[in-house]
Amino acid sequence: MQYHKFTWYNQKSQLDNPETIHQIMSFGEIDDIKKMEQLIGIKKIKELYLKYPKKVYSRSVFLFINNYILKTKEPIDEQKYLKNTSRNIE
């Protein structure tokens, strides 16, 4: 299933792609997130979100996604998700 609304740079985006997940979670509306949930399931979204972090989130969006959408219980390293934190180049 392709999803183009929030992936302007990639015409072949797939919903099960971590890049697409992050674009929708960070820049989409709640209806977009709900639609994504219906199409691929919250388990897959959470798996890709946690396995492939991306620094595109403001703090408020990050907290909303973790606490209300994904309902994560385990601690998450904010540095890997917040766009206003320094990048760790190794």
Side-chain angles (χ1 to χ4, degrees):
M1 172 83 35
Q2 293 190 345
Y3 200 88
H4 299 290
K5 187 173 180 181
F6 293 100
T7 54
W8 54 269
Y9 55 86
N10 185 354
Q11 291 300 315
K12 295 181 180 178
S13 59
Q14 297 291 319
L15 267 180
D16 59 354
N17 179 317
E19 190 72 30
T20 305
I21 299 291
H22 287 295
Q23 290 291 312
I24 294 170
M25 298 286 261
S26 183
F27 304 111
E29 297 175 4
I30 195 70
D31 289 338
D32 300 315
I33 295 170
K34 287 179 181 178
K35 182 68 172 175
M36 181 174 61
E37 251 183 80
Q38 292 172 350
L39 293 171
I40 64 170
I42 195 70
K43 184 178 178 181
K44 184 68 171 177
I45 293 169
K46 189 173 183 178
E47 173 192 327
L48 293 171
Y49 176 86
L50 295 172
K51 188 173 181 179
Y52 303 100
K54 184 132 178 98
K55 294 176 75 72
V56 295
Y57 298 92
S58 66
R59 182 158 175 74
S60 58
V61 171
F62 172 77
L63 293 173
F64 178 76
I65 295 298
N66 286 304
N67 295 331
Y68 298 103
I69 303 295
L70 300 178
K71 298 178 174 94
T72 55
K73 303 285 187 223
E74 61 275 0
I76 297 175
D77 184 0
E78 292 182 355
Q79 299 277 328
K80 294 179 179 180
Y81 294 88
L82 298 180
K83 60 184 170 186
N84 61 348
T85 58
S86 61
R87 297 186 188 273
N88 187 9
I89 301 173
E90 297 176 15

